[in-house]
Amino acid sequence: MITDGEEAGGCMEIQRARPEDAPIVRRIALDAYQPYIRRIGRKPAPMLADYAALVAAGKLWIRSEIAEIVGYIVLEATEDALVVENVAVHPERHGEGHGRALLDFAEREARRRGLPRLALYTNAKMSENIGLYLALGWRETERRHEAGFDRVFFEKPAPGLASSSNP
């Protein structure tokens, strides 16, 4: 468990999700991604994810304040990167810094695992996400159609572990 200290009036923690957290995380995903259905023309991939399986695989982390889960992040390690498969915050908690804290956690986790970079993707029609990732120092690497979605791919060096051969 990682404690982020006092934020928004309470103690914030990031920890691995437990089986009983999966239904709450699923509800957050449904609420957070609902506005994008019309824009994309179908449910975004995170609305279809099997959160119980992600918990069982140890890939799902939650951010909570006392007993309330406010957001989550799904991380998948590859040979050379920590991939942020999904990150979401409950819509009622947007603008409080929880998404940024979860992405900062991913950076620390990549460094802890000795991985030189982070990677993620978002839907090309989620322009807010694209702007956010660019503002947070992520670099767009490509755009492609994958799994029925138009995706924008990003990467970011893990602080302290970035290869000097990458510009």
Side-chain angles (χ1 to χ4, degrees), residues 46-67:
M47 294 180 84
L48 307 172
D50 182 345
Y51 290 99
L54 292 168
V55 170
K59 298 177 183 180
L60 181 63
W61 297 79
I62 58 168
R63 180 165 165 87
S64 59
E65 179 179 40
I66 305 174

Side-chain angles (χ1 to χ4, degrees), residues 39-87:
R39 193 183 305 177
I40 294 170
R42 63 188 274 204
K43 288 183 178 179
M47 294 180 84
L48 307 172
D50 182 345
Y51 290 99
L54 292 168
V55 170
K59 298 177 183 180
L60 181 63
W61 297 79
I62 58 168
R63 180 165 165 87
S64 59
E65 179 179 40
I66 305 174
E68 177 190 11
I69 297 172
V70 298
Y72 68 89
I73 192 165
V74 177
L75 302 173
E76 172 79 37
T78 66
E79 195 172 292
D80 68 341
L82 186 62
V83 179
V84 176
E85 289 286 334
N86 184 1
V87 59

Side-chain angles (χ1 to χ4, degrees), residues 75-123:
L75 302 173
E76 172 79 37
T78 66
E79 195 172 292
D80 68 341
L82 186 62
V83 179
V84 176
E85 289 286 334
N86 184 1
V87 59
V89 173
H90 192 282
E92 292 178 1
R93 303 301 298 266
H94 283 182
E96 296 177 10
H98 302 297
R100 180 182 293 245
L102 287 161
L103 290 170
D104 288 348
F105 168 76
E107 289 186 28
R108 292 190 305 273
E109 189 65 12
R111 187 173 48 247
R112 186 187 73 77
R113 295 180 188 197
L115 295 168
R117 67 185 182 91
L118 294 106
L120 62 76
Y121 60 86
T122 191
N123 192 287

